[in-house]
Amino acid sequence: MSKQKGLEYWLQWQVPLCAVIIVIPAVVALNYIRNDNKNNARTLRSFDLWNSCWRNLNPFWLLLYRAFAFACLTSLLYNMFAVTGAFIFFFYTQWTFALVTFYFAVATLVSAYGCWMSTKKISSEDGVSTYKEEEFKDKIKLQSPHAQKEIHQKAGFLGSLMQAVYQTCAGASVLTDLVFWCLLVPLLANVQFKLTLLIGSLHTMNVVFLIGDTALNGLPFTWYGFAFFAVWSCLYIIFQWIVQACGFMTWWPYPFLELGTPLAPLWYFGMALFHIPCYAIYAMIVSVKNSFLPRLFPRAFVRLN
């Protein structure tokens, strides 16, 4: 709609129905996170956060990859911000892109700390050894009980945050890229926007860097993370509703968010369901990694989770 939305717009019958479609998944996801946080199927170890799933690959290379990804994504985000200003954050793509950038920032810090810890000398029963000596001898069996306790400790808040953001980014990146390339580009390119190298990169490099990180890391990927993905999308839609209600924008950044059509509930319901295959696609990528790579590279690949 081209004019500011008045009260009559928000009193249409489809608005409360769309609200229910948003609120119910958000409440269910938040309740699931609260109840299952302590009962998560697997304890996340600090070891998983910074180590590689490749036996002979020093974690320092994972650190370099994450730092490189963070630098590239930050540059792309800055260039987009320089072109359009804060307006870019009205779009789900930029929300997700910023979240992926944040993930690589946290992952870089965690990897740097892990690499530092891997060279730290500790006391063992046989004298003095290092994490590096004990750990890379065999990534699963550690000689020093003290090293084993330290490395396999619970990851803590930062580790849990990192895993939650990682899984949220996975689903959200697949969602944004599929919607953009399969729906928006065929229907709206050269009508509502012009496809440029920068815009194309924003809808490609997020998932490319994530898949690269997945190919190297030892992080677990479970359906527990789908709850965070659902909450992330619900937060964006609530944000959009607030922006529209306050009159900061007079048009919807995505046509399927428009509430002034009788088909709005179907669009909202369809997008809600579409989150499942998007997350499943990335879960399948991780499953293929953990299923086939050990067979192809039995001496090089170590399944850490």
Side-chain angles (χ1 to χ4, degrees):
M1 298 182 69
S2 58
K3 61 181 181 179
Q4 185 172 343
K5 302 169 183 59
L7 182 61
E8 68 280 358
Y9 181 88
W10 298 101
L11 292 178
Q12 298 177 95
W13 66 267
Q14 60 266 35
V15 174
L17 187 56
C18 290
V20 169
I21 296 174
I22 298 170
V23 171
I24 289 180
V27 171
V28 171
L30 287 172
N31 187 62
Y32 179 76
I33 292 172
R34 186 189 65 178
N35 293 336
D36 285 19
N37 187 38
K38 294 182 180 180
N39 301 318
N40 201 0
R42 183 181 172 279
T43 301
L44 180 64
R45 305 165 300 181
S46 60
F47 181 86
D48 299 319
L49 300 173
W50 55 271
N51 212 347
S52 173
C53 58
W54 296 94
R55 188 181 303 276
N56 297 317
L57 184 67
N58 193 303
F60 181 71
W61 292 105
L62 179 58
L63 166 62
L64 287 181
Y65 175 82
R66 287 171 167 174
F68 174 74
F70 172 67
C72 291
L73 294 174
T74 301
S75 177
L76 286 172
L77 194 61
Y78 172 79
N79 288 331
M80 193 65 184
F81 183 84
V83 172
T84 62
F87 175 74
I88 64 172
F89 292 107
F90 284 114
F91 294 87
Y92 185 83
T93 296
Q94 275 67 47
W95 272 47
T96 298
F97 199 89
L99 188 67
V100 175
T101 306
F102 174 72
Y103 164 73
F104 278 106
V106 175
T108 299
L109 292 175
V110 171
S111 283
Y113 177 75
C115 288
W116 174 73
M117 287 295 292
S118 72
T119 61
K120 183 180 178 182
K121 290 189 176 182
I122 59 173
S123 298
S124 70
E125 295 175 354
D126 300 324
V128 176
S129 60
T130 65
Y131 280 109
K132 189 174 182 180
E133 290 169 352
E134 304 293 349
E135 198 173 320
F136 301 115
K137 196 171 186 180
D138 188 317
K139 288 183 182 287
I140 302 301
K141 298 178 181 178
L142 302 175
Q143 302 297 324
S144 166
H146 182 67
Q148 186 173 5
K149 180 180 178 181
E150 289 293 323
I151 292 177
H152 290 277
Q153 66 183 338
K154 290 184 179 180
F157 172 77
L158 188 62
S160 298
L161 173 66
M162 179 177 164
Q163 186 193 23
V165 173
Y166 168 62
Q167 295 179 121
T168 304
C169 289
S173 294
V174 173
L175 174 64
T176 56
D177 291 5
L178 285 180
V179 169
F180 181 78
W181 291 109
C182 298
L183 182 63
L184 299 183
V185 169
L187 297 179
L188 300 178
N190 299 321
V191 177
Q192 287 193 3
F193 66 92
K194 183 179 180 181
L195 182 60
T196 63
L197 178 61
L198 178 58
I199 293 177
S201 297
L202 286 171
H203 294 84
T204 305
M205 299 311 297
N206 51 359
V207 74
V208 168
F209 277 123
L210 273 178
I211 291 176
D213 191 75
T214 298
L216 297 174
N217 71 37
L219 281 171
F221 191 91
T222 67
W223 277 91
Y224 174 72
F226 181 79
F228 295 100
F229 176 32
V231 170
W232 176 254
S233 294
C234 290
L235 285 175
Y236 174 76
I237 295 177
I238 292 172
F239 164 77
Q240 274 298 323
W241 280 35
I242 294 173
V243 166
Q244 298 291 330
C246 294
F248 295 121
M249 288 183 67
T250 58
W251 55 277
W252 294 91
Y254 300 104
F256 44 79
L257 294 180
E258 171 64 63
L259 293 168
T261 168
L263 295 178
L266 290 179
W267 277 109
Y268 274 72
F269 184 70
M271 287 305 300
L273 291 181
F274 190 57
H275 280 63
I276 299 175
C278 288
Y279 195 84
I281 288 174
Y282 209 94
M284 184 172 61
I285 291 174
V286 178
S287 178
V288 168
K289 163 194 164 182
N290 289 327
S291 298
F292 288 96
L293 290 185
R295 301 176 188 175
L296 295 176
F297 309 99
R299 296 184 179 181
F301 185 86
V302 178
R303 182 173 179 176
L304 297 175
N305 49 75

